[in-house]
Every structure is written in structure tokens, then in C-alpha cells.
Amino acid sequence: WGASLIGRWDEGRFTLHSLTGYEGNQRLVEDEGDATPKRLLYANWSDSSWQVSQEFNVEVVNHDDFSWQAGFYGLYEKVDALNTFNGALQRNNSQRFDQTLNSLAAYASGHYDIINDRNSFPGVELLRLSGALRGSRDHKFFYLESTLTCDDCDVAEIVRPESQAATWSGFTGDVMLSWNPIVRDSYDITLHAKFSHGIKNGHFNASLTNNPNPCLPSEPDCFQEPLLEPVKPEAINALEVGFDSSWMEKRILLSAAFYRYWYKNLQVFD
């Protein structure tokens, strides 16, 4: 369940917005993976989580050809999960992880109409420059333990209880130039070119259930390497060029675009 509270104050020269949110849930997913009438290989995925968020935003329209907005956003989230995997060979695995997230961000965006008069420059109805910038900081704490029990086993595989914390920060944004060469009641065309930079912060491997290099009882001096090493943040630069158009008094809409993405430290989920 969840709830939200929205506030708005229009002062005339600017408008203030406030958005407060809360969401909580409990989930249980029962999965059987042997594809037979018998209950042989099955898993129970269960978790409970809650989060609270707060956003403040100010919106300013100075003139018809210029407007901007800026804001601040904060989020706190808590997740507790318990997953069990029961196998046909009496190998039963239990995995538990807890995660907390503190996220803060500040952002600003706006647009400026370089030309907004069909009579000022031939072939240009509107020439608009717009952009956005966002800075964020995420701090994540993660705890994981996983045990495997089985019948007639000399050694039970285990992921020892381990906790790690990491902090990521960075900037994202975009800039776009749009151009309306002609606008009529029966048809209009808008051309645009946009460059964007985005990031997806790092995370911990919550699917880890087995230690690939466990220490054996016969190795008392074995050093256990940390397993919860966070992955690096993913970054992307994107270029988009395209157009939007309408014809026959907006009865026909036609759009096309070309995209090009450049990834760095691509995160892959298997």
C-alpha cells in the first residue's frame, strides 16, 4: 500500500510544488521449476520493503520565451528478503539479504526560445534550446548470507554473513535544439537534435547463493575473499536526431528518429 501528499502554492511569479510519498509492500512468489506433476524443484521468493520520499520543486516562467524549474529529491528505502530453494537431491538452500538506500538529488531544467516569431526570420517559426542537469548521490548498505544443507555431504557450501556499503555520485543531463520550419493549421513539422548523458549507479549481487571458492575445514589458514564487491556504475552517452509532424489537421501523425548509444561499464543481469 502507499500514500502521497501533494502541495502547490502559486505566488504569481513562481509556483512551488511539494510531493511526499510512502510505499510499502510484502511479496511471496512460489516458483516450481521441474515442469512435472511432482513438487521436486521449487523456490519461494519473499521480501518486504518500504520507502519514503520527498520532493520540492519551484517553477518560474519569466516570459513567453523563457522558463525554468529546479528541485530537490530525497529517498530512503529498506528491503528485507528471504529466499529458499529446495532441490530433489535433498540440497536445500536458504538466502537472506537486507538492503538500505539513501538517495539525494538536485536538478534544474529549462528552455529558451531563440526565435519565436514567424515574421522575424524566414523559414523559422520556432527555434528552441532546452536543457536539463541533475546531480545525485546514492549510499547503499547491503547484507547477505546464504547456507546450503544436504544429506550425506562432507562439506556444506555456505556464503558467510557479509555486509558492505558503497556510495556513488554523478551528474546526468541533456541538451536539445528543436526547430519548427513551418506551422500551419493543416500541418506542422518539428525537427530536433538531442544529446544526453545518463548513469545507473552500482549495486550488489543479490542473486549470490554459493561461494565459488569456499574455505574447507581442512584449511584453517584459508583467507576468505570478500564476495560482495559492488559493480561499477553504468554510463551512457546518447545522440538523437529526428522529426515529428502532423498532416491533414492532425488526422495523420508521422515521426522518425535516429538513435546512437555509447555505453561504458554496461551492467548485465543473467
Side-chain angles (χ1 to χ4, degrees):
W1 69 276
S4 62
L5 178 64
I6 300 175
R8 183 176 184 271
W9 178 39
D10 191 347
E11 195 274 340
R13 295 171 298 174
F14 60 86
T15 304
L16 295 175
H17 302 270
S18 173
L19 175 60
T20 306
Y22 173 85
E23 181 180 343
N25 68 77
Q26 291 185 334
R27 181 182 63 165
L28 172 61
V29 177
E30 297 179 322
D31 181 25
E32 187 169 1
D34 58 277
T36 68
K38 295 183 178 181
R39 188 172 171 83
L40 299 176
L41 300 174
Y42 58 94
N44 293 327
W45 310 81
S46 63
D47 62 72
S48 62
S49 65
W50 64 272
Q51 62 175 235
V52 60
S53 62
Q54 176 64 54
E55 181 178 2
F56 296 105
N57 174 277
V58 57
E59 184 179 2
V60 180
V61 179
N62 292 340
H63 305 284
D64 293 338
D65 56 357
F66 177 65
S67 67
W68 63 272
Q69 63 173 332
F72 174 81
Y73 176 81
L75 168 73
Y76 178 84
E77 182 183 57
K78 183 75 169 67
V79 180
D80 300 310
L82 176 62
N83 304 318
T84 58
F85 314 94
N86 299 310
L89 300 177
Q90 290 76 46
R91 298 168 64 89
N92 302 317
N93 185 277
S94 176
Q95 180 207 49
R96 174 187 165 222
F97 68 84
D98 305 325
Q99 178 177 282
T100 59
L101 170 66
N102 288 281
S103 180
L104 298 174
Y107 61 89
S109 64
H111 76 263
Y112 174 70
D113 293 341
I114 302 172
I115 298 176
N116 192 7
D117 185 356
R118 65 176 57 184
N119 298 319
S120 63
F121 197 84
V124 179
E125 299 275 354
L126 174 65
L127 185 63
R128 171 173 292 182
L129 179 66
S130 58
L133 181 65
R134 182 179 187 269
S136 63
R137 178 186 183 275
D138 289 353
H139 178 78
K140 186 176 291 187
F141 173 83
F142 192 80
Y143 171 88
L144 173 71
E145 63 175 312
S146 179
T147 59
L148 179 67
T149 59
C150 58
D151 296 340
D152 301 327
C153 285
D154 295 332
V155 178
E157 297 167 307
I158 182 172
V159 175
R160 296 177 180 177
E162 185 177 337
S163 61
Q164 290 285 350
T167 301
W168 300 278
S169 59
F171 290 91
T172 62
D174 62 69
V175 58
M176 182 173 70
L177 184 66
S178 56
W179 167 38
N180 288 89
I182 188 169
V183 177
R184 297 291 184 268
D185 294 336
S186 58
Y187 63 93
D188 67 82
I189 301 174
T190 302
L191 307 173
H192 67 271
K194 181 179 181 181
F195 176 81
S196 306
H197 173 73
I199 58 173
K200 181 168 63 174
N201 284 331
H203 65 89
F204 295 95
N205 183 9
S207 63
L208 184 65
T209 57
N210 295 315
N211 186 347
N213 299 300
C215 290
L216 301 178
S218 59
E219 301 172 330
D221 298 330
C222 174
F223 175 73
Q224 181 63 66
E225 294 287 344
L227 298 177
L228 295 181
E229 291 296 331
V231 300
K232 296 180 180 180
E234 176 183 304
I236 179 175
N237 291 325
L239 178 65
E240 175 187 346
V241 179
F243 73 90
D244 301 289
S245 64
S246 66
W247 308 88
M248 298 180 62
E249 298 180 349
K250 299 188 182 298
R251 292 185 178 92
I252 298 178
L253 303 179
L254 179 62
S255 301
F258 167 80
Y259 298 90
R260 180 68 168 90
Y261 296 153
W262 294 269
Y263 284 98
K264 183 180 180 181
N265 298 325
L266 178 65
Q267 298 175 7
V268 179
F269 297 86
D270 188 1

